Amino acid sequence: MTTSADLQKLLTWLSPAFPVGAFAWSAGLESAIASGTVHDRATTQAWIEGVLTHGSLRTDAILLAHAHAAGDDATVLRELADLCLALTPARERHEETTITGAAFATALRAWPTPVLANLPTPSPYPIAVGAIAAGHGIALGATLLAWLTASVHSQVSVAVRLVPIGQSDGLAIMATLEPAIASMAELCQHAALDDIGAVAYAADIAQMSHETLTTRIFRS
């Protein structure tokens, strides 16, 4: 059961204003916009939904779920972190997840929990979120739903600024993707590590090609 205190924590921790620097990263979306692959509302929605259902967001959500279950086991958390980093397709993506993960863990010292001592170094973002949420007794389903929602909103924000698609189209995308986010949160609660298998190759290539963009606003 998710209490009002749990909800309050999730809203704070996953807010765009929380000091993890998520606004500085695009996970390769900037490359897709620069190449013209993403250029309007329809292509933005298709890109983000693809990453959510077949790409890195799905992978990270499964890893988050397993980190939630292993919050008291530093050895398992280290193994999950290693797997998460092994699955990152590009150097900048590696930096994105480790830098935001470290910032999240540092900021969460304001909400003490013994789980903080179990986090590996480096600790990828989904590993840190899953383990710390468990340390505070926050239900996995609520954690996944909040984290995936925040991640999708962050991607929409990139497109609003860079395509640009405008606020109205951005909000329409957020509203349209709500069922897909809820479905993915439910799926990842019960997924095994063997269920990880991303096939969003265009997104992976975009993350790699971002390193060679002449002009870059985002760090990935």
Side-chain angles (χ1 to χ4, degrees), residues 9 98 138 144-145 162:
K9 288 183 176 66
T98 55
I138 300 176
L144 281 169
L145 185 63
L162 284 191

Side-chain angles (χ1 to χ4, degrees), residues 13 67-72 113 115 128-139 143:
W13 297 349
H68 188 279
D72 293 327
T113 168
V115 169
V129 172
I132 293 172
H136 285 276
I138 300 176
T143 303

Side-chain angles (χ1 to χ4, degrees), residues 1-188:
M1 178 180 177
T2 302
T3 67
S4 58
D6 295 339
L7 180 59
Q8 191 173 30
K9 288 183 176 66
L10 290 173
L11 287 170
T12 299
W13 297 349
L14 299 172
S15 162
F18 202 67
V20 299
F23 64 87
W25 307 90
S26 82
L29 181 53
E30 183 174 19
S31 294
I33 294 169
S35 69
T37 302
V38 174
H39 58 271
D40 58 10
R41 172 181 164 180
T43 53
T44 297
Q45 182 173 317
W47 182 275
I48 295 173
E49 188 167 10
V51 174
L52 170 67
T53 57
H54 302 294
S56 59
L57 282 183
R58 178 182 183 275
T59 295
D60 284 354
I62 294 173
L63 290 165
L64 184 155
H66 283 264
H68 188 279
D72 293 327
D73 193 325
T75 299
V76 174
L77 288 177
R78 161 52 59 193
E79 292 171 350
L80 290 170
D82 289 345
L83 176 58
C84 184
L85 295 178
L87 293 171
T88 56
R91 176 182 59 82
E92 290 180 352
R93 179 64 177 145
H94 183 283
E95 293 176 352
E96 178 178 349
T97 194
T98 55
I99 290 173
T100 54
F104 185 79
T106 298
L108 262 293
R109 291 174 185 166
W111 291 266
T113 168
V115 169
L116 286 166
N118 296 332
L119 292 177
T121 302
S123 182
Y125 190 34
I127 304 303
V129 172
I132 293 172
H136 285 276
I138 300 176
L140 174 58
T143 303
L144 281 169
L145 185 63
W147 184 80
L148 285 170
T149 298
S151 298
V152 167
H153 288 188
S154 180
Q155 287 277 280
V156 171
S157 178
V158 172
V160 167
R161 285 177 279 172
L162 284 191
V163 173
I165 57 173
Q167 292 288 353
S168 295
D169 280 347
L171 292 171
I173 292 171
M174 291 178 187
T176 301
L177 290 182
E178 283 182 353
I181 293 169
S183 177
M184 191 53 54
E186 177 66 26
L187 182 152
C188 291

